[in-house]
Amino acid sequence: MYQIYPRSFADGDGDGIGDLAGLVRRLDYLRPPGEPWPDTPTLGVDAIWLTPFYPSPLADFGYDVADYTDVDPTFGTLEDFKALIEEAHRRSLRVIIDWVPSHTSTEHPWFREASSSRDNPKRDWYVWRDGKADGAPPNNWMSAFAKVGPAWTFHEPTRQWYLHSYRPEQADLNWENPEVERTMHDVLRFWLDLGVDGFRVDAIHRLGKDPALRDNPEIIVVPTPGTAGRRYDEDRPNVHGRVRAIRKVIDEYPDRMLVGETYVLDQRRLGAYLNPGEGVHLAHNFVFVHQPWSAAAIRGVVDGFEALIAPGVWPAWFFSNHDHPRLATRYDEGGQGAARARVAALLLLTLRGTPFLYQGEELGLPDTTVPPDAIVDVDGRDPARTPLPWEPPSSVGPGAGFTTGNPWLPMTDQAETINVHSQASDPRSMLSLYRRLLRLRLTMPALRSGDYRSLDTGETVYTYLRATDDQRFLVALNFTSAPVQVDAAASVEGRSARLELSTDPDREAGAELHLSALALGPDEGLLIRLS
Ligand code: GLC
């Protein structure tokens, strides 16, 4: 699954902002290889996820929706969206879109009505309360954005506070109100009727809040088993009935899916959203994203999750998205970001589950420095949202094939080497590594659907097996910048081991390896075929 941030993917009309027409023109870059299209080089993903393109005043770059059933003119029209679905499906690419059910823009007509008077019929579509006697907000809930502070804003004309889990321009919908729930379900049906293949459900854990709006504990701790529900502003038990009802809507249509933005930093609680047949099909695992670059830490998360989830549940792994620093920057201690990003690619594409790949990660794009006068996001996320470089600026100008105009956020100053065109013809590039890995996944059943089992090979090397009845791979990832040798012979019965791929572009595939003395270079990952 490839995540597209439409503002930064491809600009079709030269205004410096990506749009649907630009995206359609670049679809061939993404599609799976093979019939009915000739196998020209493509990245080779199965599906794309588009972050919001709805009409929006952009207080939170589209996550403040002012109309759930239209396209913002910056991105095009509903007709352009229909063309996108058609063109994507012709290329065997599924399309999922972002559904933002927890809040609307304060410029949404519903909020305008709701805020017009205390007795407006839409008043109860949002969460309004009187403040405390001393003039303080109704409770101590805080916005997810540190800069915003309290999650409440006082509305002077009607002299009550309204709740916003994010910016004040994003008022929380009241999911206690069945009319809200029904109306938001109809939004799903609108897009399902147009042929979308599913939804990424924004802030799904926020659909369940304490109806009594009790204060959060002063120090919010990550809930551990037994202390479930320490927080009152999200992930309350009432969320699961709402998820079940959403799932029912999806199941009215054949072959559609849900992936939750389940920002719950406890894997047991995360697992609860994945109830087979009733929950979301996939749940983004943010525990994974919050790990340091450590074999033991990352293995711990993967093993922990595999042990917790019900049989038949399918994990969803990702390292980055539009809200988090890019991989090559996040793990750059000691200047090893680029090499580690290659190890991370091998990990992501060989774990059991659906890998989510954020646009630009396939090029090893680092965060881009955004000068203070160009900052537009309230939460420091601009550096991970800068435009995708398509071609070298020396041949197409400073827009690097993303735009002929002025990009809305700065283009990376590394676009001369980090761009799709240059990397496509370089077998040593990050893009070539991703392509190889995606093709291996496609053709090797063990990598796609095989069992997963990790091995004890010390604290610095994360080693695991992926196996079906008749195919077996061993993955060994060195999380340090020193060469290391591990002995995997004890835990793997196998006769022969052959190197299928190394993340080090200088190491050739094909060599026979000895499992009792597996040598890994600094920041190197190996994919080994066993027979
Ligand atoms: C999700 C989105 C993020 C947005 C927030 C509020 O976390 O990924 O970009 O700011 O929800 O909608």
Side-chain angles (χ1 to χ4, degrees), residues 304-443:
F305 193 63
E306 287 279 352
L308 273 172
I309 54 181
V313 166
W314 190 241
W317 303 109
F318 72 108
F319 269 115
S320 54
N321 67 18
H322 61 295
D323 295 328
H324 294 275
R326 288 183 173 278
L327 253 177
T329 300
R330 179 144 37 107
Y331 293 131
D332 196 35
E333 309 104 336
Q336 300 307 314
R340 289 175 173 182
R342 295 176 75 97
V343 174
L346 176 55
L347 168 62
L348 191 66
L349 275 285
T350 56
L351 282 177
R352 197 181 80 91
T354 295
F356 280 71
L357 179 59
Y358 176 42
Q359 71 180 43
E361 292 293 309
E362 78 276 22
L363 306 177
L365 185 65
D367 281 357
T368 303
T369 309
V370 177
D373 61 349
I375 290 174
V376 290
D377 179 49
V378 67
D379 204 34
R381 297 167 295 183
D382 297 324
R385 297 176 174 180
T386 59
L388 192 66
W390 290 92
E391 285 154 89
S394 59
S395 53
V396 294
F402 162 71
T403 182
T404 53
N406 254 336
W408 73 287
L409 278 176
M411 175 59 65
T412 172
D413 60 9
Q414 296 183 51
E416 199 54 34
T417 48
I418 301 188
N419 69 72
V420 171
H421 182 83
S422 306
Q423 290 202 9
S425 52
D426 173 5
R428 303 166 56 91
S429 70
M430 184 69 144
L431 181 55
S432 295
L433 176 65
Y434 266 101
R435 281 178 168 165
R436 273 207 296 280
L437 286 168
L438 282 158
R439 274 157 188 73
L440 276 167
R441 249 187 103 87
L442 200 67
T443 48

Side-chain angles (χ1 to χ4, degrees), residues 24 27-42 86-93 439:
V24 167
L27 278 179
D28 275 329
Y29 165 57
L30 299 173
R31 64 173 175 75
E35 295 299 323
W37 303 85
D39 196 1
T40 51
T42 64
E86 196 182 314
E87 292 297 325
H89 285 172
R90 281 204 320 139
R91 291 165 174 80
S92 305
L93 278 169
R439 274 157 188 73

Side-chain angles (χ1 to χ4, degrees), residues 6 16 96 147 156 243 261 263 305 387 407 443 501:
I96 73 164
K147 278 213 181 108
E156 192 58 52
V243 172
E261 189 210 16
Y263 214 124
F305 193 63
T443 48
L501 173 152

